[in-house]
Amino acid sequence: MKDVYFGELPFLKYEHEVSLCIYSPDGSSFTAALDDGNINVYATSSWEQTWILTGHGQRVNSVAYSPNGDRIVSGSNDTTVRVWDVARGDCLYIFIGHTGRVYNVIYSPQGNVVASRAGGGTVRLWDLDSGECRSVISGHQVEILSVAYSPQGDQIVSGDSDKAVRLWDVETGECRQTMVGHTKDVKRVLFSPKGDYIASASYDNTVRLWNVGSGSSRNISNNHNGSVRGLKYLSKQNQVASCSGDSTIRLWHAETGVHCRTLSGHSGSVWNISYSPEADHFVSCGDDGMRLWDAKSGACLRVLDGYNNSVYDVTFSPQGDQIASCGTDGPVRLWDVNTGECQYVLTGHNGAVYMVSYSPQGNQVASAGMDGTVRLWNVGTGACEHTLTGHSDLVLRIVYSPNGNQIASASYDMTVRLWDVKTGICSHIFIGHQNYVTRVVYSPRGDQIASASYNDKTVRLWDRESGECRHTLVGNKMESSAIAYSPRGNLIVSWSDAGEAMLWDVETGDCLWSLEHDGLTQGVGDTLPHPFMWMSPDVDSFIGGYGDGSVGVWDVIKEGDQHRVHMRWMSSNGQLTVKDACVQDVQGLNDFNKRLLKQRGATGEPSVRLLEASKRVMRMGSVVSKLKASSFNKDVLNPPSASPAISFMTISGQQAEQATDAEILEN
């Protein structure tokens, strides 16, 4: 019966369950791992069993061949990783260090390092030359479900049960990027052959493609996944920094709105950020403490330990050598920037402290909190110079006058008080608000003070010398989360994180512009965040953050006696908004984009052929420019009609370069 074929091959039969099987890179070897801990190796030329690799005491969950096929690595429920010689069947290394079951093992592309993923949210990198553990990737707070090496071997991507995709530096073990957007666990991740994209598969029934350089996905949100807590503008790099309840800090290009970077590390809400005077560092505070970051690289330089609870506020000294912080546990702490050591623990407040502020000269720190007092501290000695008493309820905000001689405080007792810094004497009490006063700011010249009440929805402008209320600004329908004077002091904005803003003329008290609440965003109902600021002393442009996690920049343009407010950019939810829009006879769409429009709820059938320019078509040429500009610009004084239309939300500049297959021809 020579050369007879029966149409099938014999099978391999085992007494125990087969957990997985794998071919060697050249196909000459085949391995089957079993539930009893044994690993069976076969020569595929004859399918004879060459080795039974024994040593694991429990189920083998993962095996992988080295790139040249001469070694096998295995991971087991017994918490160990073992490396085997394929030719001799010997166990070369037993790696011990994981405390949970090892679910996944992979070789680096160079074959000199093995990565192992275990229960408990850790990945260990093992050096095959020394047999030592090179580093431990332990930034995940939840279970890691998948890991993969980049083709270059310098990065590892992981997917976890927190719905995130994370990119790690193999050399340092630091998290480079966190990519969010999946709504359920990420069960599988892998790099593209060139290493420029990452694909992730999730239990939310989607596969997402991520740009490794930007960390962005075509259908992923650039928004925070929680309310925006604080904003800062860095003129040196023309960059906006935002922090959020989603535990991240995001950096944006101020001109275009391109999302530059997401900084991860905090495990809870991030309440505030502060840049050093030289703009080379910034510090962040949150529910889990404080972190010092390198502004250029985005690397976390150190964690400032000392708090057991939330840190609400943090700020650099004007000289940049010291950091002041406060939080729920009461004391104010002063930190040495160079060493990261806590220089002083300033005790005296009874209860949480909500805000700290350096005097313009940097020789004093003011603090305010739940006990209704304001305390002034000497930064050189840590001594309390004055305790300012008089408020009958908690003090939420304090601010020094521009010359540093005076300090204003806003309280839940519905008043604003002005204090002399040298004597500690209260010079004025501003009465008029009908509910909690949650915001207070000085005008740039220091001759006027603005205050806002979260619940009575008014802004009041006070004369500093006389104490008289010059204007009561009414018209806000939502609670004000922030107020701020323009750099020249002639304008003031009241801002709500729920989607409402109003621009006022300081001299007349007239409302020059308003952005109505559109019902798409929800306020966070918290008086601590201050998600608004003017960007620069030279330009009337402001930054605002919303409760839905989005961030935007607006330009105020004066034309004669009128002021026009133009939206420069707004971070988006990243999805194409075309629900119920008619795309009947739209031309130039490829099959990919036809499917995309249908998935997003568009109606009608696009044209299957190009029509002459004179034929009726839907004009969609602006789409390309919007994609490549990475933002949508609109004149908020002249909004478009409410008729159904196709609108394209912003994506990053890198995404736009990759979006040529989505370009639509203009008639």
Side-chain angles (χ1 to χ4, degrees):
M1 299 182 66
K2 183 180 179 181
D3 296 329
V4 172
Y5 292 94
F6 294 101
E8 62 179 87
L9 297 173
F11 55 81
L12 305 173
K13 178 67 175 176
Y14 303 100
E15 295 181 0
H16 295 273
E17 178 186 340
V18 179
S19 55
L20 76 158
C21 55
I22 186 173
Y23 276 96
S24 64
D26 63 0
S28 64
S29 177
F30 178 86
T31 294
L34 306 182
D35 194 51
D36 65 353
N38 290 339
I39 302 170
N40 294 267
V41 183
Y42 300 85
T44 57
S45 58
S46 62
W47 285 101
E48 292 184 1
Q49 189 177 71
T50 55
W51 305 107
I52 299 178
L53 308 180
T54 60
H56 286 298
Q58 299 179 40
R59 174 187 174 93
V60 177
N61 295 310
S62 180
V63 293
Y65 278 92
S66 61
N68 61 12
D70 63 341
R71 292 182 178 183
I72 292 172
V73 63
S74 57
S76 167
N77 281 357
D78 65 7
T79 75
T80 68
V81 175
R82 293 174 181 252
V83 179
W84 312 85
D85 185 284
V86 173
R88 302 194 305 269
D90 296 334
C91 181
L92 304 177
Y93 294 111
I94 303 175
F95 296 142
I96 299 173
H98 286 296
T99 58
R101 297 175 178 178
V102 181
Y103 293 113
N104 193 202
V105 289
I106 53 173
Y107 270 94
S108 66
Q110 295 76 23
N112 60 333
V113 179
V114 164
S116 56
R117 171 181 67 88
T122 62
V123 173
R124 289 178 176 263
L125 305 182
W126 308 92
D127 191 297
L128 295 183
D129 294 327
S130 65
E132 300 293 326
C133 180
R134 290 177 53 167
S135 60
V136 180
I137 295 174
S138 57
H140 285 272
Q141 305 298 320
V142 293
E143 196 73 16
I144 302 173
L145 303 180
S146 179
V147 292
Y149 266 102
S150 66
Q152 297 77 20
D154 59 338
Q155 298 181 97
I156 283 179
V157 63
S158 61
D160 62 29
S161 58
D162 195 30
K163 313 165 197 172
V165 177
R166 301 177 195 269
L167 191 62
W168 306 87
D169 187 288
V170 168
E171 194 65 32
T172 65
E174 293 290 325
C175 182
R176 289 183 175 178
Q177 290 176 339
T178 300
M179 293 158 271
V180 294
H182 283 295
T183 59
K184 292 185 179 180
D185 298 358
V186 180
K187 59 182 178 180
R188 187 62 57 86
V189 290
L190 75 158
F191 277 91
S192 65
K194 292 182 179 180
D196 52 350
Y197 281 92
I198 293 168
S200 59
S202 167
Y203 287 104
D204 65 8
N205 301 331
T206 66
V207 175
R208 291 177 179 258
L209 298 180
W210 310 86
N211 185 298
V212 172
S214 66
S216 57
S217 167
R218 287 188 190 178
N219 62 335
I220 188 57
S221 170
N222 287 330
N223 289 358
H224 286 286
N225 290 325
S227 61
V228 177
R229 303 286 190 179
L231 291 165
K232 291 293 184 292
Y233 173 66
L234 183 61
S235 59
K236 187 176 181 179
Q237 299 181 18
N238 200 22
Q239 201 170 69
V240 174
S242 58
C243 62
S244 167
D246 66 1
S247 77
T248 69
I249 299 162
R250 294 179 185 245
L251 305 179
W252 318 80
H253 190 275
E255 289 299 323
T256 64
V258 169
H259 173 225
C260 305
R261 183 176 291 153
T262 297
L263 307 182
S264 302
H266 284 284
S267 58
S269 291
V270 185
W271 288 96
N272 206 358
I273 48 182
S274 176
Y275 275 95
S276 65
E278 296 298 320
D280 53 346
H281 299 93
F282 68 91
V283 63
S284 59
C285 65
D287 288 341
D288 61 346
M290 300 164 55
R291 290 174 177 261
L292 184 66
W293 307 82
D294 183 276
K296 186 175 181 180
S297 68
C300 180
L301 302 177
R302 60 170 57 96
V303 177
L304 304 180
D305 293 321
Y307 288 93
N308 296 319
N309 296 296
S310 298
V311 183
Y312 289 141
D313 196 22
V314 64
T315 183
F316 268 94
S317 67
Q319 293 76 24
D321 59 342
Q322 195 178 67
I323 294 169
S325 62
C326 65
T328 58
D329 63 357
V332 174
R333 287 175 167 82
L334 303 183
W335 307 82
D336 185 283
V337 172
N338 294 324
T339 65
E341 297 295 323
C342 182
Q343 295 175 305
Y344 297 107
V345 179
L346 311 180
T347 59
H349 282 287
N350 182 20
V353 179
Y354 298 124
M355 187 174 181
V356 288
S357 178
Y358 278 95
S359 65
Q361 296 77 20
N363 62 332
Q364 190 179 76
V365 164
S367 59
M370 183 180 287
D371 61 3
T373 68
V374 177
R375 292 177 179 260
L376 307 182
W377 311 87
N378 185 298
V379 300
T381 65
C384 182
E385 297 178 333
H386 294 291
T387 300
L388 311 181
T389 60
H391 285 295
S392 59
D393 207 334
L394 67 85
V395 180
L396 191 69
R397 279 288 184 273
I398 49 175
V399 60
Y400 278 94
S401 62
N403 62 13
N405 294 334
Q406 197 176 62
I407 196 167
S409 57
S411 171
Y412 269 30
D413 66 5
M414 300 185 289
T415 69
V416 174
R417 291 177 179 251
L418 303 188
W419 312 83
D420 185 279
V421 169
K422 289 185 178 180
T423 65
I425 296 173
C426 178
S427 60
H428 289 93
I429 303 175
F430 298 153
I431 299 173
H433 284 292
Q434 302 302 306
N435 213 303
Y436 304 150
V437 184
T438 56
R439 298 290 180 264
V440 61
V441 291
Y442 277 90
S443 65
R445 293 194 302 269
D447 60 335
Q448 191 180 85
I449 292 163
S451 61
S453 170
Y454 190 78
N455 289 318
D456 78 6
K457 303 173 186 175
T458 67
V459 177
R460 291 175 180 259
L461 307 183
W462 310 86
D463 185 277
R464 194 191 75 165
E465 291 298 328
S466 67
E468 294 180 359
C469 181
R470 291 182 176 178
H471 297 291
T472 299
L473 311 181
V474 296
N476 288 295
K477 298 177 183 178
M478 311 299 296
E479 294 84 358
S480 293
S481 305
I483 54 172
Y485 282 94
S486 65
R488 287 183 284 272
N490 61 321
L491 305 171
I492 192 168
V493 169
S494 60
W495 179 267
S496 168
D497 64 4
E500 181 187 65
M502 301 190 79
L503 178 71
W504 311 85
D505 185 290
V506 169
E507 187 65 30
T508 65
D510 295 334
C511 179
L512 305 176
W513 165 83
S514 65
L515 176 65
E516 294 294 331
H517 174 62
D518 58 13
L520 297 178
T521 58
Q522 296 295 322
V524 296
D526 196 324
T527 56
L528 278 177
H530 192 274
F532 179 88
M533 69 175 298
W534 291 85
M535 289 176 60
S536 163
D538 305 318
V539 181
D540 284 339
S541 300
F542 58 82
I543 315 164
Y546 288 101
D548 66 358
S550 58
V551 176
V553 170
W554 286 259
D555 298 311
V556 181
I557 304 166
K558 187 174 183 180
E559 297 175 341
D561 295 332
Q562 302 296 316
H563 286 81
R564 182 168 60 88
V565 182
H566 177 78
M567 180 186 289
R568 187 187 301 181
W569 58 263
M570 169 77 78
S571 67
S572 76
N573 63 10
Q575 287 197 351
L576 192 65
T577 306
V578 294
K579 184 174 176 58
D580 297 328
C582 179
V583 294
Q584 186 71 34
D585 294 333
V586 170
Q587 44 178 344
L589 289 173
N590 58 27
D591 289 338
F592 178 87
N593 283 314
K594 289 176 185 177
R595 294 201 309 271
L596 179 61
L597 290 173
K598 286 188 175 182
Q599 288 175 0
R600 294 289 183 262
T603 62
E605 287 297 325
S607 175
V608 296
R609 60 187 178 87
L610 289 176
L611 303 177
E612 294 83 359
S614 59
K615 296 287 184 70
R616 179 178 60 87
V617 296
M618 181 179 288
R619 294 179 177 271
M620 301 175 66
S622 62
V623 172
V624 177
S625 62
K626 290 182 181 180
L627 286 172
K628 293 186 175 178
S630 304
S631 64
F632 65 93
N633 294 316
K634 64 179 182 178
D635 189 326
V636 294
L637 286 181
N638 299 286
S641 64
S643 59
I646 296 179
S647 62
F648 289 79
M649 306 301 283
T650 62
I651 59 175
S652 72
Q654 288 93 337
Q655 289 172 278
E657 294 302 320
Q658 300 295 330
T660 54
D661 59 347
E663 295 185 358
I664 302 171
L665 300 180
E666 180 179 15
N667 179 24

